[in-house]
Each structure stands twice: as C-alpha cells, then as structure tokens.
Amino acid sequence: MFLVVLNLGITFALFLWAPRAKIPTRPDGTTGHVWAHGTILEGLKALPRWWIVFSGSMFALAFLYLYLYPGFGNHKGSLGWTSHGQLQQEVAANDAKLAPLMERFRLYPVEKLAGDPDALAMGKVLFEDNCAACHQRSAKGNVALGAPDLADNDWLYGGSGSDITTSIHDGRSGVMPPWASLGADNVKNLAQYVLSLSGAPHDAAKAAAGQPMFATCAACHGAEGKGNPALGAPNLTDRIWLHGGSVADIEKTIGDGRQGHMPAWSPRLSDDQIHVIAAYVYQLSHPVNEPRQ
C-alpha cells in the first residue's frame, strides 16, 4: 500500500507541476542548450493538450481501479471481485457447455468412443496437458523415464478400454527385482538369452548358458517370455523395450532391477475426462479403419 501511494503520489505531483513549471528561455524561444557547435538548438514547447488529457485520464482510471478492485491494502474492492470467484464462474460456464457433450460420451464404451472425432479432439488436449510430460506429445514414450510407447499396441497391463481406463484412473506401479546376486557372468548370459527370445542378434553360447536361469524369470514373464498383463510383466519376445534394448540396457535391467510408477489421475481428472483420454489413447494404437468393438 505504501508503494502504491508513493508511486501514484510522485507521478501525479509531477504531472500537475510539469505543465506549470517555468523554464528560462531566450528571446528566440530556445533554452540555451546547443549541440554540434551551435548548429542545433534546444527549443521549448508546451505539452500538447491531448497528451495532458490522456495522461490525466490514466490517473483517473488508476484511482477508479483501486476503488473497484482489490489492490490497496486490505481494501477488497467495491465490486467484490476475486480471482478465485472468476475462476469458479468460468469453470461453471465451461462445464455447462461441455455437459451435453460429456453426457453423449458416457453412452459409449472406450472402444466405440475412440471413433468419435469430438471425443478424440478433447482427448488430445487432455492428453497433452496431463500425459505428454512423460509419454511425449506423440505418445511414443520415453525410455529414460520408463514411460511406455502408447501407440504401438504393446501393453504392459492390457490394452482394452477397461484396462486403459484403470491404468489412468488408479495408476500402476511395476517392480523388476534386481538379480545381481546371480553373479556378473550369469547376468550377462541371461541377457543374451533374453535377446534370443525376440530373435535379436545375440551370443548363442551365452544364451544357452543363460536359458536354465530364465526359470526364475518365468514366474512373471512366463515360460516363453510372453509377459503377464496381470503383473505388468512385459513381453520379452517382441523387440519392444521399456528401458532400452541394447545389451547394456538389458544387463542393467536384470542386474539392478527397475521400478516404474504411473500416477493415479483420479485426484486431478474427473471420470468423464479419464474416459475421454482412454478413448484417445486406445485410438492411438488402432488404425482408423479398424472396426470398433
């Protein structure tokens, strides 16, 4: 409040004083200040009336603003305006516009809603606002974060509309335990066997040596390495890697383990918004001309 008074007070005082200030001038109307060896003289003219009127109106608006809106100490403003109140009004107005659309979206399961252009347009915006930080705007995922590609139809916890909705609503937490206790050589052999499951280039001798140890991994990934959506254990046979598919990446995954966390979005997003995002994500991994269920 002190700064507001000081700023307005000084500038208003200068505004009132400046037009009346007496500045000595010569008979020719100049002030005596010269440049370029006397070829340029400083003249003196009164401020134009439009400038004075315009500046005065700005001061009037400033005082009126401080009367109408909060900004002067504890004064709440005569209009009773608050930023929270305006936000609530705008959210309510937006919800009123969206209500008929959301009501229509609720009639369809995710798989069918994924063919609705209006739902996809809304889902894209919601996805970019909430999910793109980890999965990228393209939804191609991020190996550094362990965020899966959502456009390849390879799913850790299932790719049905219900599965995707649950992942968004409740979140997911995956843990790959570390197996460094097997020994460095065994970890290397096991990594080569994992590479062999997807037909990737590998050392056949090391892969054969690592095959017996895969029985420990089969409890989650299955005997054939096809994964288990109930546990979030990835398929190891499709050359799609959550944390990278190089030899070094796989050895690190086996030796050190991995932890992944998909936060629950139910505290932030409504069920209707989650339903729309699930439809958008479902559409990303299914061709447009594919029949919807």
Side-chain angles (χ1 to χ4, degrees):
M1 185 169 60
F2 171 77
L3 291 177
V4 170
V5 172
L6 180 65
N7 182 62
L8 282 177
I10 291 176
T11 54
F12 189 63
L14 290 174
F15 169 74
L16 295 176
W17 170 80
R20 297 173 174 78
K22 301 300 183 181
I23 301 176
T25 58
R26 293 181 175 182
D28 60 0
T30 63
T31 64
H33 296 161
V34 299
W35 293 271
H37 304 291
T39 58
I40 299 177
L41 308 178
E42 179 184 64
L44 182 65
K45 297 276 186 185
L47 289 171
R49 185 176 298 275
W50 67 264
W51 187 93
I52 295 176
V53 172
F54 179 77
S55 297
S57 65
M58 293 299 101
F59 281 105
L61 288 175
F63 291 118
L64 179 62
Y65 178 90
L66 290 176
Y67 172 73
L68 296 176
Y69 295 96
F72 189 72
N74 293 326
H75 177 61
K76 298 183 182 300
S78 61
L79 297 180
W81 177 91
T82 64
S83 58
H84 293 290
Q86 181 173 339
L87 175 62
Q88 291 175 355
Q89 292 177 2
E90 293 177 355
V91 169
N94 187 63
D95 289 344
K97 293 179 180 179
L98 290 179
L101 201 58
M102 289 300 190
E103 186 175 353
R104 174 163 64 84
F105 291 165
R106 293 188 205 108
L107 298 176
Y108 304 105
V110 168
E111 290 82 357
K112 187 172 183 180
L113 189 61
D116 187 313
D118 291 333
L120 296 181
M122 185 184 297
K124 183 176 187 294
V125 173
L126 289 170
F127 180 89
E128 291 176 350
D129 286 347
N130 298 280
C131 314
C134 292
H135 295 280
Q136 301 190 69
R137 290 169 64 92
S138 64
K140 292 294 185 180
N142 189 326
V143 172
L145 298 176
D149 185 340
L150 303 178
D152 60 5
N153 206 21
D154 182 82
W155 302 94
L156 290 174
Y157 294 93
S160 69
S162 175
D163 293 330
I164 297 172
T165 299
T166 300
S167 293
I168 300 171
H169 189 278
D170 299 336
R172 302 285 189 180
S173 293
V175 178
M176 161 73 181
W179 293 101
S181 58
L182 295 174
D185 290 339
N186 287 331
V187 168
K188 294 179 183 296
N189 292 340
L190 189 52
Q192 292 299 318
Y193 178 71
V194 170
L195 283 170
S196 74
L197 292 174
S198 61
H202 61 279
D203 185 311
K206 290 184 177 181
Q211 182 175 4
M213 289 177 290
F214 189 77
T216 303
C217 312
C220 292
H221 295 280
E224 297 179 354
K226 295 290 186 179
N228 187 339
L231 300 175
N235 185 350
L236 304 178
T237 67
D238 56 8
R239 293 200 183 191
I240 296 175
W241 304 97
L242 186 60
H243 297 279
S246 69
V247 174
D249 289 332
I250 297 174
E251 288 179 355
K252 179 175 177 59
T253 297
I254 297 172
D256 298 340
R258 299 284 189 180
Q259 290 188 350
H261 178 66
M262 160 74 178
W265 288 93
S266 52
R268 175 183 174 94
L269 301 174
S270 68
D271 289 346
D272 288 335
Q273 291 174 319
I274 290 174
H275 186 57
V276 173
I277 295 178
Y280 175 74
V281 172
Y282 182 89
Q283 177 269 340
L284 290 174
S285 59
H286 291 77
V288 176
N289 59 354
E290 180 178 315
R292 304 295 179 190
Q293 298 178 1

